[in-house]
Amino acid sequence: MNETTTPPPGTGNGNGIGTAAGKANQLWGDFIPVIGFIVTYNVFRRVELLDGLINKDTAIFWATGVLMVLMAGFLVRQLVMREPVSQMMVFSSAIVGGFGLIGILLQEKAFIYVKPTIQQLFMAAMIFVPMAFGKNLWKSLFSKVFDLPDFAWRTLAIRWGLFFIAMAAWNEYLWRMYAPGFEAPLVMAGIPVAPAGSYEFLGLTFGARDAEDVWANWKFGNMVIVLIFGALNTPYTLKHLRTPEDEAQPAAG
């Protein structure tokens, strides 16, 4: 999952031109903040401006600020245009903005590195916790776009929940593998996150590289992964998609 809005459970025919326009709108709302982050990061890390205020070490903070501003702009636009804004989108944006702001104010990159992990795990929790009580958030979010039977909604919810967990693990691998090690052990809310310097785990060496740009630029790769996963769910969604004609047919027997 990216760091902006919520992906659809699979792309299908939807409900006509309005739905197609809404999907295109959402894709732009997803891509523009990420592209803004990547462009800002790659430009600013190659220059030295404002007496060192903009340089390789501060590029990630500026890029995060751009990401937050563009995300906020998209949400404001949704509200002004009176377009629907899901709770998951709001909560996800709040996590991105909160951790990003803390990282910028404290000038601590660790908050920015772990931000996608927290976001993905939170989204997975928003799916699995209600499901434990018989509620399907995925159906609530997308039932106006797709008419599917309950078992199909449950399957899609489980798939996306597991996908979010996998993306959280992927982000942990990326930043730990490519970001430089910390001078002191990293602890957040009393929870040890990473030891100082480089360290071994599961046969891999983490914190030994100074390649933060790999993690930063992979944000676009993550967007592509989300789109591919959504496309892979399209056949299942279309297979179980119900139409008004289906509902009008009398039951056999």
Side-chain angles (χ1 to χ4, degrees):
M1 174 70 185
N2 57 80
E3 289 187 70
T4 50
T5 57
T6 306
T11 54
N13 294 329
N15 294 327
I17 296 176
T19 299
K23 288 179 179 294
N25 230 0
Q26 179 178 307
L27 284 176
W28 278 113
D30 287 346
F31 272 104
I32 290 177
V34 173
I35 292 174
F37 175 95
I38 293 174
V39 171
T40 302
Y41 177 81
N42 283 286
V43 171
F44 281 25
R45 75 187 185 91
R46 289 177 169 84
V47 298
E48 184 94 20
L49 300 172
L50 302 178
D51 294 327
L53 191 60
I54 297 177
N55 57 36
K56 179 180 179 181
D57 291 331
T58 64
I60 193 170
F61 299 118
W62 289 101
T64 299
V66 169
L67 175 72
M68 292 164 54
V69 169
L70 291 175
M71 286 181 61
F74 178 75
L75 286 175
V76 170
R77 179 191 176 281
Q78 295 284 96
L79 294 173
V80 171
M81 300 295 292
R82 296 185 178 181
E83 297 177 356
V85 179
S86 70
Q87 290 182 341
M88 183 175 283
M89 180 192 297
V90 174
F91 290 140
S92 177
S93 299
I95 292 174
V96 172
F99 275 80
L101 185 61
I102 293 173
I104 292 172
L105 293 177
L106 298 181
Q107 292 292 285
E108 176 54 75
K109 296 181 179 181
F111 286 97
I112 297 174
Y113 294 152
V114 303
K115 169 167 52 70
T117 301
I118 302 300
Q119 179 194 23
Q120 303 291 343
L121 292 178
F122 178 81
M123 294 175 70
M126 287 190 68
I127 291 175
F128 287 127
V129 172
M131 190 174 290
F133 295 93
K135 303 293 183 180
N136 192 323
L137 177 67
W138 218 239
K139 179 180 179 180
S140 300
L141 289 173
F142 299 108
S143 59
K144 293 183 179 180
V145 181
F146 301 99
D147 184 11
L148 302 171
D150 286 342
F151 73 87
W153 282 119
R154 180 178 177 83
T155 298
L156 288 170
I158 292 174
R159 287 182 180 182
W160 278 100
L162 294 176
F163 175 76
F164 291 145
I165 293 174
M167 291 300 289
W170 174 237
N171 182 68
E172 284 297 294
Y173 168 79
L174 283 176
W175 81 259
R176 291 175 185 272
M177 175 62 70
Y178 294 103
F182 299 101
E183 295 181 358
L186 177 61
V187 179
M188 291 185 176
I191 302 174
V193 176
S198 61
Y199 54 96
E200 299 284 336
F201 183 69
L202 296 177
L204 299 173
T205 301
F206 295 103
R209 304 186 186 187
D210 187 4
E212 177 189 88
D213 58 298
V214 175
W215 172 83
N217 288 314
W218 248 105
K219 287 186 179 298
F220 188 80
N222 291 339
M223 287 291 305
V224 175
I225 292 174
V226 172
L227 291 176
I228 291 175
F229 186 77
L232 291 175
N233 280 285
T234 298
Y236 183 84
T237 303
L238 293 179
K239 178 181 178 180
H240 297 289
L241 187 65
R242 295 185 297 200
T243 64
E245 290 76 12
D246 295 333
E247 296 179 356
Q249 290 179 356

